[in-house]
Amino acid sequence: MTPRSVLNRSLLAVAGLVLLGGGLLVLFAGLDVYRRHDLVPPVGWPLTTPNDVLLGSADRARWSSQGWWWWPAVIAALVLAALLALWWLLAQVSRRRPGSLPVGGTPPQEGVELRDHALSDAIAAEAGALPGVEHAAVHITGRPAHHRTHVRLTLTPEGAPGAALADLCEGPLRTARQSTGSPHLPTDVRLRVTHHKPHRAE
């Protein structure tokens, strides 16, 4: 799981809990649950009975006395928040993976296509078997005609970054280019070394 997906899921979980809690509080007030079941509403929560309103006449008058700009500013802020939420939602549901890749160019020859999961798994398996590589993770993003491969290699303490990168280019990535019939395979590679205990010198 990438840091971006962790952040998105965390924000979604927090937003969902806030909306769920607020909706339940409003629902309890609308159904008069507090009075019927002798429940104590949260301190400072204005909606406790079906006849309550969020802003009373006194509150509306007090905020209106701040100036003519107050309510337009509030409305503009709410519209901006709604637009940002809509943009974030569309960004989550938009496809970031190509799904299938053309084999032999665009359009694919004789309708043959290769699933991006299959190609990324094949590259990861071959890259993980390279000398000096402990683990490899691969995912492909973009559109079918303009996709990009992202490779994360975890090297052993004895692994050499230069040798691992050369082996990756001449091995798994070269095989992927031959498999798809594409002369170019844009790739981003990130290298890291696995954690290991320091050697003790005596």
Side-chain angles (χ1 to χ4, degrees):
M1 186 180 298
T2 63
R4 183 173 183 177
S5 63
V6 172
L7 176 62
N8 287 338
R9 293 184 181 185
S10 300
L11 291 176
L12 184 62
V14 171
L17 290 175
V18 171
L19 292 176
L20 178 61
L24 289 177
L25 290 176
V26 174
L27 182 63
F28 287 172
L31 298 179
D32 203 12
V33 174
Y34 298 113
R35 183 185 60 81
R36 291 180 180 179
H37 299 281
D38 295 328
L39 297 178
V40 179
V43 178
W45 181 248
L47 304 178
T48 58
T49 65
N51 297 325
D52 288 336
V53 293
L54 188 61
L55 289 177
S57 300
D59 292 329
R60 291 195 301 270
R62 179 166 59 90
W63 288 116
S64 298
S65 63
Q66 300 294 326
W68 65 268
W69 56 269
W70 173 252
W71 288 114
V74 171
I75 294 173
L78 293 176
V79 170
L80 180 60
L83 291 176
L84 289 176
L86 180 61
W87 170 80
W88 181 79
L89 178 62
L90 293 177
Q92 302 311 306
V93 300
S94 63
R95 176 179 288 273
R96 290 192 178 92
R97 300 182 65 93
S100 58
L101 303 173
V103 177
T106 305
Q109 294 181 357
E110 299 180 358
V112 179
E113 293 182 339
L114 178 64
R115 298 295 297 177
D116 61 336
H117 287 291
L119 182 60
S120 60
D121 291 344
I123 296 175
E126 190 173 351
L130 294 175
V133 176
E134 181 175 291
H135 177 72
V138 179
H139 69 279
I140 300 174
T141 60
R143 294 174 294 174
H146 300 89
H147 59 275
R148 194 169 193 88
T149 305
H150 303 268
V151 181
R152 294 194 306 272
L153 294 182
T154 302
L155 305 181
T156 62
E158 298 78 15
L165 186 59
D167 292 340
L168 176 68
C169 294
E170 294 299 325
L173 295 183
R174 184 177 182 180
T175 303
R177 288 194 297 268
Q178 293 175 349
S179 300
T180 58
S182 175
H184 304 289
L185 188 64
T187 305
D188 295 326
V189 181
R190 292 188 179 183
L191 303 177
R192 63 182 298 268
V193 179
T194 184
H195 296 288
H196 61 283
K197 295 182 180 180
H199 298 287
R200 179 178 300 176
E202 297 181 356

